[in-house]
Amino acid sequence: MRLLNKINHEQTLVLDGGLATTLEGYGCDLNSSLWSSEVLIHQPDKVSEAHQAFTDAGADIVLTSTYQASFATFKSIGMSTTEIEQLFDVAVNNINAAVTDKQVVVGSLGPYGAYLSDGSEYTGEYDISVEDYVQFHEERINALINRGIYDFVFETVPNINEIKAIVEYIIPNYSDQMTFWISCTVNDEGNLSDGTDFEKVVHYISQHVDRVPVFGINCSSINSVDKAIHKGLLELPQVIALYPNGGKTFDPIEKVWIGEGENALLIQKSIEWIEQGVQIVGGCCETTPQDIKQIYDRTKKEFGI
């Protein structure tokens, strides 16, 4: 099923959770620049197992294991174009085997900062040309389209210039048969991670509902999401998708999550956000299939989805 069809037919949708977190729970080592793509290369059966776990948990939307799987990422470790193409075959085949025809498969596209693997995907501290953004994202989009993926999410985007490049120079290159949503990250003040006032983000995104029918926040703290809501997030004409992390803070040097989790709060806040008009809820890093099942069960009980 396609994303917009699912949105139009169901009032509330549950997204899957942290793929990397789930893989770590299976004993996979993700402490590398490839992150979850390390598992895609060496233990693809574990990726299949994770997709299946989110399907079994009730997720309506399941994301591909391609967040870190840019051509630039794989070329940086010496992989050939042929080898990279084969990995996209694996990623798409794995997810297709795990979902049902009632679910939506969405292609996950990490930001340029994810390729840098230095934590800048959480700060937006990089400045590249529009042409570089286009090349970086389009190679992966085209690979997924060639394998039957037509719905996409640019995730964890921390940088207003990257958002503008996506909206103005990447999405227009594709037909209306493709659907793109953007999910950004916000800082402790509820502003975009690069410091851009969130009100400015809202103003910009509100002008592009045709190109970006879904907009939201992921991999940010629950408190930060609420602050962005107070800065106008829910006033957008777009469908809103919220999937924060489990409450811990990422250490980009050691590549580990530190602090205390707040998974129980996420489940409760998901209900509150839906009551405020949010249509898509789920989890990001440090959330598991068990968390998604609880969100699904609660939303089904409260709203009869």
Side-chain angles (χ1 to χ4, degrees):
M1 181 177 287
R2 293 294 306 278
L3 178 62
L4 293 184
N5 289 338
K6 190 76 168 176
I7 287 172
N8 291 332
H9 284 89
E10 297 188 31
Q11 180 179 356
T12 303
L13 300 175
V14 176
L15 182 65
D16 64 9
L19 176 62
T21 300
T22 304
L23 293 172
E24 287 176 327
Y26 296 160
C28 301
D29 183 5
L30 278 66
N31 193 359
S32 81
S33 62
L34 297 181
W35 207 28
S36 56
S37 291
E38 185 80 33
V39 186
L40 183 63
I41 295 172
H42 299 293
Q43 297 173 280
D45 58 314
K46 294 297 184 182
V47 177
S48 299
E49 187 178 344
H51 288 320
Q52 188 64 57
F54 285 118
T55 292
D56 295 342
D60 299 294
I61 302 171
V62 184
L63 306 184
T64 61
S65 57
T66 53
Y67 175 90
Q68 194 80 0
S70 70
F71 277 68
T73 300
F74 291 135
K75 287 177 181 177
S76 70
I77 63 167
M79 293 184 68
S80 68
T81 299
T82 299
E83 290 172 322
I84 298 170
E85 293 280 356
Q86 289 172 346
L87 278 182
F88 277 92
D89 286 335
V90 172
V92 173
N93 290 339
N94 280 355
I95 198 167
N96 284 340
V99 300
T100 72
D101 58 6
K102 295 181 179 180
Q103 292 170 292
V104 179
V105 172
V106 173
S108 172
L109 308 169
Y112 188 84
Y115 155 62
L116 299 176
S117 192
D118 60 0
S120 59
E121 64 195 289
Y122 300 103
T123 65
E125 294 180 355
Y126 49 89
D127 185 19
I128 64 172
S129 69
V130 168
E131 291 76 16
D132 286 338
Y133 280 128
V134 171
Q135 180 178 357
F136 174 78
H137 285 295
E138 284 193 351
E139 285 181 310
R140 182 171 38 173
I141 294 169
N142 294 340
L144 289 168
I145 289 174
N146 290 338
R147 289 158 178 80
I149 304 296
Y150 306 120
D151 298 306
F152 298 91
V153 55
F154 296 93
E155 297 189 274
T156 326
V157 184
N159 184 308
I160 189 63
N161 290 329
E162 187 163 13
I163 289 175
K164 289 181 177 180
I166 290 167
V167 172
E168 298 173 28
Y169 296 97
I170 296 175
I171 294 175
N173 290 338
Y174 295 92
S175 77
D176 293 340
Q177 299 303 310
M178 312 299 166
T179 301
F180 296 91
W181 105 50
I182 295 175
S183 184
C184 67
T185 56
V186 292
N187 61 23
D188 290 342
E189 288 74 42
N191 293 318
L192 195 65
S193 290
D194 69 353
T196 302
D197 290 341
F198 200 75
E199 292 89 345
K200 292 182 179 179
V201 178
V202 168
H203 176 72
Y204 178 79
I205 290 295
S206 69
Q207 302 174 64
H208 298 286
V209 66
D210 291 340
R211 294 181 181 178
V212 187
V214 182
F215 183 80
I217 297 172
N218 76 294
C219 215
S220 304
S221 72
I222 290 171
N223 185 55
S224 297
V225 171
D226 276 338
K227 287 183 178 179
I229 288 174
H230 290 305
K231 296 186 177 193
L233 174 64
L234 301 188
E235 297 171 15
L236 284 169
Q238 278 90 350
V239 169
I240 302 300
L242 298 179
Y243 52 117
N245 61 40
K248 297 181 180 180
T249 302
F250 187 67
D251 181 336
I253 304 301
E254 299 297 330
K255 292 183 171 55
V256 295
W257 291 86
I258 57 177
E260 296 296 324
E262 50 187 10
N263 299 54
L265 178 60
L266 172 61
I267 295 161
Q268 178 58 40
K269 293 298 294 189
S270 295
I271 300 300
E272 294 179 17
W273 290 331
I274 293 169
E275 291 173 339
Q276 292 176 276
V278 174
Q279 193 167 350
I280 301 172
V281 293
C284 199
C285 294
E286 293 297 305
T287 63
T288 66
Q290 291 73 30
D291 295 319
I292 298 307
K293 185 178 190 312
Q294 290 188 62
I295 292 174
Y296 175 82
D297 289 344
R298 283 290 304 277
T299 52
K300 184 174 182 179
K301 179 180 178 181
E302 297 284 342
F303 306 103
I305 67 170

